[in-house]
Amino acid sequence: MFSDDLVAFRAEVRAWLESNRPKWRFQPYYTEDGLAQHLEWEARLFAAGYSAPGWPKEFGGLGLDHWHQLIYDEEYARLNLPERVNKMGLLHGGPTVMAHGTPEQQEAWLPGILNNSDIWCQGFSEPDAGSDLAGLRTTGRIEGDQLVLNGQKTWTSFGVIATKMFALVRTDREAPKHRGISFVILDLDTEGVEVRPLRQLHGHAGFAEVFLTEAAVPLANVVGPLNEGWRIAQTSLKLERGMGRGTHTKMLRTVDEIARRLGADPDTGSLERLGSHRAWAFAYEQATYELTDILSRGRDEGALPSVLKLRLSEILTGIREEERNLLGERAEQIPAGPPEAPLPPTQREYWHARAGEIYAGTTEIQKNIISETALGLPREPRP
């Protein structure tokens, strides 16, 4: 399936990652020691040119095409290497600036993402505008050459360590719902910005909510035309829901690990269910390859990113539920420790899988996109 060139590239990447991989498991990135460990690893990737291999060479990447990027992601996932702490900038924010930003914005912001002197987070979700993204209430008021922001962002991944946020703000209250929105980059140390850590159900403390009170940012930080942020955001959303970033590799590895670690009993049906989950993981892998082929040919991917996002959350939830079935009552055991201690890995991964039905667009949102854009069904009535 893979060309000789891709096979050779896989061997090259595999050799480097295996030789340079961390020798121990990192602390969570939201702790002081953990952040230092992650940044040291990121610096090693950057020095080797592996910080963002798919970025164009003019922006500091290796200029890899979609298939080479997929190979890199598969090898990274296969070794279960540390989560990329700047993935919001590397995968969503940075490419959006490449696509829609001015040369001055690209020069000012992209190097900091690559070398991790700036950690980016995404400011899309709000308390009353999560799935209904266009229902956002955070406003941007133009005063001279500044945009004065007021509002609240929430469920902000990496918000506790980020230095910059790309956010959507409403800059024209009289415009229709999906217009009058602007896409803006702001420094999180701006006066009037307050970041509050949020502890999640699965024990992860990397979330934050961000409050904006008369926070003034330069108008020059608006990416794309003023009031056309909804169109700009579609680039970021497609990037978030689309390419697997090794997700298919992680999914297959997880099923195999559970099968090896816990076994299965044909009499209880668990063997059949594990087999079914692995078949779905394989199908997800093949769909990822199909998307990679579509992108490499420069074709429109249509609703396929939404199909992948929908199936991703459903497959992962099914795998983790089967793990809990196999564990039985052991699935509910919590080791002795303080109440604020992180959940055991099995419980943490289960709740994280369940969150997949919400983050990056809920299951209902993905079904609407698929039904309307791929199947041509009538649009759901909007308020």
Side-chain angles (χ1 to χ4, degrees):
M1 174 178 179
F2 295 111
S3 66
D4 292 344
D5 174 52
L6 290 172
V7 171
F9 178 70
R10 184 186 295 279
E12 173 190 332
V13 170
R14 178 176 296 183
W16 190 90
L17 291 175
E18 288 183 341
S19 298
N20 292 275
R21 61 189 296 185
K23 306 302 182 193
W24 59 85
R25 189 172 182 83
F26 289 173
Q27 296 294 313
Y29 67 80
Y30 48 84
T31 65
E32 185 176 352
D33 289 344
L35 181 58
Q37 291 170 334
H38 279 275
L39 290 179
E40 191 279 333
W41 168 239
E42 293 289 348
R44 206 180 311 171
L45 290 173
F46 173 69
Y50 286 143
S51 183
W55 278 24
K57 290 183 178 178
E58 64 183 292
F59 297 127
L62 296 179
L64 299 185
D65 61 22
H66 292 290
W67 279 108
H68 284 80
Q69 178 68 56
L70 177 135
I71 295 293
Y72 175 84
D73 291 339
E74 285 186 342
E75 290 304 309
Y76 195 96
R78 185 181 67 82
L79 291 173
N80 200 21
L81 294 173
E83 182 178 18
R84 304 297 303 278
V85 293
N86 207 6
K87 64 182 181 184
M88 291 295 175
L90 292 168
L91 301 175
H92 312 151
T96 302
V97 171
M98 290 179 209
H100 302 285
T102 65
E104 292 76 16
Q105 291 173 332
Q106 293 164 353
E107 182 179 359
W109 296 329
L110 297 181
I113 298 175
L114 266 187
N115 64 25
N116 294 285
S117 58
D118 270 324
I119 305 292
W120 284 37
C121 63
Q122 182 191 71
F124 283 7
S125 297
E126 300 187 4
D128 296 318
S131 298
D132 182 20
L133 181 58
L136 60 91
R137 297 181 180 178
T138 296
T139 59
R141 184 181 74 251
I142 299 174
E143 287 191 1
D145 60 355
Q146 292 188 320
L147 200 58
V148 182
L149 308 180
N150 284 282
Q152 179 188 354
K153 301 294 180 179
T154 192
W155 314 307
T156 307
S157 301
F158 301 96
V160 293
I161 62 169
T163 56
K164 278 187 171 59
M165 168 187 279
F166 55 99
L168 293 177
V169 300
R170 185 163 297 284
T171 42
D172 183 353
R173 299 189 190 192
E174 305 302 320
K177 188 175 180 180
H178 291 80
R179 300 179 182 174
I181 294 171
S182 295
F183 189 105
V184 63
I185 311 294
L186 64 144
D187 291 324
L188 291 180
D189 61 358
T190 302
E191 184 177 354
V193 177
E194 181 184 2
V195 178
R196 299 179 188 172
L198 272 178
R199 183 180 175 84
Q200 301 169 68
L201 182 61
H202 66 4
H204 201 294
F207 261 11
E209 51 187 348
V210 180
F211 294 84
L212 305 166
T213 306
E214 293 291 293
V217 301
L219 262 177
N221 283 23
V222 174
V223 178
L226 193 70
N227 297 327
E228 293 190 22
W230 185 254
R231 178 174 62 83
I232 308 301
Q234 300 314 303
T235 297
S236 178
L237 291 172
K238 276 196 171 185
L239 290 165
E240 187 176 22
R241 296 167 183 167
M243 294 296 292
R245 300 184 292 276
T247 302
H248 56 289
T249 306
K250 298 176 193 172
M251 194 183 288
L252 286 163
R253 190 191 65 228
T254 299
V255 178
D256 292 345
E257 286 178 353
I258 291 172
R260 279 194 298 270
R261 180 163 49 90
L262 299 176
D265 182 356
D267 293 337
T268 65
S270 57
L271 184 61
E272 182 179 344
R273 289 194 296 273
L274 271 179
S276 175
H277 292 314
R278 202 183 194 291
W280 275 114
F282 174 77
Y284 183 89
E285 177 190 62
Q286 298 305 302
T288 300
Y289 291 166
E290 173 66 15
L291 177 59
T292 304
D293 184 62
I294 290 172
L295 294 174
S296 67
R297 295 173 186 270
R299 293 161 48 199
D300 183 2
E301 66 269 42
L304 187 51
S306 288
V307 174
L308 282 171
K309 168 62 176 61
L310 175 65
R311 294 303 295 141
L312 168 67
S313 56
E314 292 174 343
I315 296 169
L316 283 180
T317 297
I319 291 172
R320 292 300 177 183
E321 286 180 340
E322 186 55 35
E323 182 181 31
R324 290 171 63 83
N325 286 336
L326 289 168
L327 283 168
E329 62 184 16
R330 289 179 292 161
E332 302 299 334
Q333 292 177 350
I334 298 178
E340 65 274 16
L343 289 173
T346 299
Q347 295 184 23
R348 186 175 65 242
E349 294 302 328
Y350 169 73
W351 287 112
H352 186 68
R354 293 298 304 270
E357 298 165 23
I358 299 174
Y359 65 66
T362 65
T363 291
E364 289 74 18
I365 291 292
Q366 306 311 324
K367 287 181 176 177
N368 274 355
I369 294 172
I370 294 166
S371 65
E372 294 171 4
T373 64
L375 303 178
L377 296 176
R379 288 174 61 84
E380 183 182 52
R382 263 71 166 180

